[in-house]
Amino acid sequence: MTIKATVISEIEQIANQHHKILAPLTDDAILLNTGLDSLCFAVLVTRLEDRLGVDPFSTSDDMIFPVTLGDFVRVYENAAR
Amino acid sequence: MQHVEAARRLRHYLEARQPAERFLHGAICSVALAELRSGTSLGGHREELDGRSVLLAARDQLPAALALIELDGIARRVVLCPPDLATEHLPEIAANAQVDAIVSDRDAADFANLEIPLHIRATSAIRPAAAPSGDRRTIWLLLTSGTTGAPKLVSHDVASLSAPIKPVHEVPLWGTFYDIRRYGGLQIFFRALIGGGSLILSSAGEPTADHIARLARHQVTHLSGTPSHWRRALMSPTLRAIAPSFVRLSGEIADQAILDNLRAVFPRASIGHAYASTEAGVAFEVNDGLAGFPARFVSVDRGEVDLKIEDGSLRLRSSRTASSYVGRDAPALRDNDGFVDTGDMVELRGDRYYFVGRKGGIINVGGQKVHPEEVEAAINRHPAVWASLVRARKNPITGAIVAADVVLKDSSIHDGDTTAQTEREIIALCRQNVAPHKVPAMIRFVPSLNVSETGKLLRHGPS
C-alpha cells in the first residue's frame, strides 16, 4: 500500500469510528474542512506512527503544519525516505 | 487598596475606558457593553434571582457572558456549565451546589427532571432596566472532571478570578478559542472586562476558518488558547488573516515546536505560555519563548504566588487559588499550609523545570483531563477482557492521547482477525460509555500488566 493510500484508509476508518462525514479526499482538500476534528487528527497521527513507523510532527523541529491533504501526505513521504 | 478591588462587582468594570466602544461579539450578533449598565438580558427577572444558587446552563456563550455580568453581586452562587456537560451529571451537580434557579437559553423542559422551581431565560437581547445594585459576594462554581461520575465543583469569586490580572496600557480586543465557562476562557472574559476592552467569543461547532474570519473582521489584538487549539489554527489556511500583538497558550504543556511555529507566523507578537488550572488559578507566565519555566520561579514568600515542588509535583499558594471544592464528601483542596497540589509532575533540567506528565496517570488530551480508571472500567466491561491499563501516549496534535494495554481472559488468542474484532468491540463499548476524548486511540494486547506489591497497577508517565 502506498503512503497516500494508507493515510486515506486510516482517515476513512477514523471518520467512520467517530461518526464524521468526510468531504472528498482530494490532494487540495483543506484538512480542516475534511470533517475531522482535532481529536481525529491526533488519532490519525498515532495510528500512522504505528503503521508507517514515523511521526514526522514530533521528530522534526522546524515542522510547518500542513494545510492540505496533499501537504499532509508529502510530510509522511518525506519522513519515510 | 486591595480591599477596594476585592469588593468590586463585575458590572463595575463596564465603566472602564470607553464604554460605548466596548462589545461582546458572539457568532451571530454583538452586544455593546454600555447597554448592560441600564439594561437586562434576563427579561426583567433579575430580582427573582436575588440570593439564589443559579445553574447557568446556556448553549450559546453570549447570553451566558451577559448573565454572568448581571448575576455577579445578585446570586449567592453561579454554577458555570460548559456546553458539553453531560446532562446525566446535572442532578448531582444541582444537589451539591444546592441549586434553586436555572438560567438558560434552553427550554425549561430540558431540565424538568431536576425539579428546580425557577427557570429564567438567558438572552442576547438587552431590555431597559434599572441599574443592578446587588452587592453580594457571589461564589462562582467551576466544573472540573473527577475520577468517576459527576465533575467536581471548584469555588472561586471575583477576587480570586481577577487577582492574576494586571493593568494594561493598550485597550485589548480579546479573542479566545476557549469556552468562557472553563477557567482558561473565563480568565480571558475577565481580562477583556477589567482591561476595558472587548471580547470575541468562540462558538461550539463553528468551523475554525469561520472563527478565524470573525477574529480577523473584528481585528483581534490579543488571542489565547491551548496548544491544541493553536495547532488546529496553524492548520488553517486563513490564520495569516489575523495579526494579534499578544498570543497566549495555557491549559496544556506548551512544547518548543508550537512556540516556534507561532513565532514564525506572528513574528512581531508577544508570545507566551501561562500555567494555570481551575483549582490553582494562574501561577505564572513564561515570556522568553522557551518551553518549561525558569527554576527561579520556585520560591516561597517572595512574590504573589508561592511555588514549591514536593514528590515531584508542582504546588501553589496564592490569592488566585480556588477556596474549596463544594458538595457532599468534597475533598480538601488546599493542604494545611494553604498549598494546592496541581498534580502536574515537573523535572529539573539545567536551570529550567519541564512538565513531564500528570500524577496518578491522569491524561491531558487537548486540555481535557482523562482519569485512566474511568476508561479502564469501560474496557473491562467487555466479556473477553481480563484486565486493562490506560496510559498517556505523546501526541503532537493534542499533547497526549489515550492508549490502552489489554490482557484477554484467553491469552492463547493470537489470531489477528479475532483480536482486531475484539479491538473494534472494545472501542465501540468505550464510545458508548465515555466522552470521545477518553476513548483509546489504540489498543495493544499484552500477556500481562505490571502490578505493585500492594496490588495496584503500576502506572508510568507518557511513553
Side-chain angles (χ1 to χ4, degrees), chain B residues 326-391:
Chain B
V326 168
R328 258 182 306 135
D329 308 322
L333 188 141
R334 302 170 176 170
D335 69 12
N336 289 338
D337 297 326
F339 279 88
V340 176
D341 183 357
T342 65
D344 281 311
M345 306 297 284
V346 294
E347 198 174 271
L348 185 63
R349 283 176 232 148
D351 59 358
R352 279 181 100 79
Y353 278 101
Y354 294 88
F355 292 99
V356 292
R358 298 270 314 172
K359 205 174 169 179
I362 294 170
I363 306 162
N364 186 337
V365 180
Q368 292 183 281
K369 275 191 274 180
V370 180
H371 291 265
E373 295 86 349
E374 183 189 359
V375 186
E376 286 160 7
I379 295 172
N380 295 349
R381 285 186 205 179
H382 191 282
V385 172
W386 172 251
S388 61
L389 173 77
V390 165
R391 57 193 169 80

Side-chain angles (χ1 to χ4, degrees), chain A residues 55-73:
Chain A
D55 172 5
F57 299 97
S58 295
T59 45
S60 168
D61 283 344
D62 52 359
M63 182 70 230
I64 297 299
F65 283 81
V67 170
T68 65
L69 181 62
D71 298 342
F72 187 82
V73 170

Side-chain angles (χ1 to χ4, degrees), chain B residues 427-454:
Chain B
I427 288 178
L429 192 62
C430 290
R431 294 202 75 81
Q432 284 168 21
N433 291 293
V434 297
H437 65 281
K438 300 178 181 174
V439 175
M442 43 90 59
I443 288 175
R444 194 168 67 172
F445 292 102
V446 294
S448 64
L449 299 172
N450 290 329
V451 176
S452 74
E453 286 172 7
T454 54

Side-chain angles (χ1 to χ4, degrees), chain B residues 120-143:
Chain B
I120 292 190
R121 185 157 279 275
T123 71
S124 303
I126 309 293
R127 288 181 16 184
S133 56
D135 207 20
R136 209 179 280 278
R137 177 181 160 255
T138 300
I139 298 297
W140 295 45
L141 295 175
L142 285 124
L143 303 183

Side-chain angles (χ1 to χ4, degrees), chain B residues 87-162:
Chain B
T87 47
E88 70 200 58
H89 294 320
L90 283 176
E92 194 175 332
I93 291 169
N96 279 334
Q98 299 169 324
V99 165
D100 55 8
I102 293 173
V103 170
S104 177
D105 55 0
R106 291 158 56 182
D107 290 333
D110 290 356
F111 305 95
N113 64 328
L114 297 180
E115 297 177 358
I116 306 291
L118 186 61
H119 181 103
I120 292 190
R121 185 157 279 275
T123 71
S124 303
I126 309 293
R127 288 181 16 184
S133 56
D135 207 20
R136 209 179 280 278
R137 177 181 160 255
T138 300
I139 298 297
W140 295 45
L141 295 175
L142 285 124
L143 303 183
T144 185
S145 64
T147 315
T148 52
K152 285 188 282 191
L153 297 163
V154 180
S155 174
H156 276 281
D157 62 10
V158 166
S160 67
L161 292 168
S162 61

